[in-house]
Amino acid sequence: AAAVAVDAEALKKVVGYRAVDDFVGSGMVVGLGTGSTAFYAVQRLGEKLKSGELTGVVAVPTSKRTEDQARSLGIPLTTLDELARKKQSNSEAAPSQEVGGSGDCGGGSGFKPLDVAIDGADSFDPRRALVKGGGGALLREKMVEACAKKFVVIADASKRCERLGPHFMVPVEVTPWCSVHTAAAVLALPAVRASGGEPSLRLGSSANNKRDGDAPAVTDNGN
């Protein structure tokens, strides 16, 4: 069992490093994912910036954990708001250019300020549909990755499943003031009714998909 665990961790490192080596170049704006596999992509980016192999890269983290790791490695960070303000500022200097909405990434405006986003997945099926958010960073992950021109998913074979759901529960980030209403709405979905699924409140830490406490799990956004 110990040997298998070591091999699985080594594989995460291989794919995390390979994603940065293959898809990140100097001068890029990069979305940094959250989780045990994305951890190695962040690590690799820090290494290549420190060595000078990459220069001029700035990154947008998808969680407080990733932000802390990136800062510890000296990776320059920015935010979606800062990128939107820069776009607006450039628009005022050159009014003939087409400009997307203020942070309206993925909303039809064509505003995608990130060159690439790299993140892991909790589960994926043969159609490449993903389950994400097991680490409690679902909202930020989706917002950052919707703003990227290219989204690179890094995952090993243990995450593959025939259909989403049974292999890994589908996370839904909800606002505290209507969590009961949201659970009822999810339960009313035809697919959920047909499968016999039932929503449940995650308890404990939001950093994993395990019940390791008695209080509701709270995300970085307070949801």
Side-chain angles (χ1 to χ4, degrees):
V4 173
V6 170
D7 291 343
E9 198 63 26
L11 185 56
K12 290 180 181 181
K13 184 174 182 178
V14 168
V15 295
Y17 274 43
R18 180 69 179 269
V20 173
D21 291 345
D22 287 358
F23 295 101
V24 179
S26 293
M28 284 188 172
V29 182
V30 182
L32 299 178
T34 296
S36 58
T37 307
F39 172 90
Y40 289 108
V42 180
Q43 185 178 83
R44 181 59 167 167
L45 179 58
E47 289 178 357
K48 298 188 81 167
L49 286 170
K50 184 176 181 179
S51 70
E53 188 174 350
L54 289 177
T55 60
V57 174
V58 294
V60 179
T62 56
S63 68
K64 185 65 169 59
R65 279 171 289 145
T66 299
E67 177 182 344
D68 290 343
Q69 181 194 5
R71 289 191 188 281
S72 73
L73 296 170
I75 300 174
L77 300 179
T78 186
T79 66
L80 296 181
D81 278 353
E82 289 174 353
L83 293 171
R85 292 189 190 103
K86 182 177 179 181
K87 179 73 171 177
Q88 290 173 333
S89 177
N90 292 341
S91 169
E92 292 170 2
S96 62
Q97 295 180 357
E98 182 180 353
V99 182
S102 179
D104 187 26
C105 300
S109 67
F111 179 59
K112 291 184 177 290
L114 277 66
D115 295 291
V116 64
I118 300 172
D119 206 349
D122 299 304
S123 191
F124 68 92
D125 69 12
R127 298 172 299 169
R128 298 184 181 180
L130 308 176
V131 170
K132 290 191 51 58
L138 177 59
L139 178 60
R140 293 193 186 193
E141 287 174 337
K142 291 188 75 171
M143 291 183 70
V144 170
E145 287 146 15
C147 291
K149 298 177 180 73
K150 179 175 292 187
F151 177 31
V152 178
V153 178
I154 45 179
D156 60 67
S158 69
K159 305 296 180 66
R160 182 184 174 91
C161 62
E162 289 307 310
R163 63 188 181 93
L164 301 183
H167 180 263
F168 194 97
M169 289 189 294
V170 179
V172 179
E173 185 167 345
V174 300
T175 56
W177 62 270
C178 66
S179 59
V180 176
H181 163 77
T182 304
V186 170
L187 187 58
L189 293 172
V192 175
R193 291 203 309 270
S195 66
E198 184 175 345
S200 61
L201 183 64
R202 183 190 297 189
L203 302 177
S205 171
S206 66
N208 57 57
N209 206 40
K210 301 176 182 178
R211 179 169 181 165
D212 56 3
D214 297 322
V218 179
T219 69
D220 289 353
N221 306 296
N223 296 321

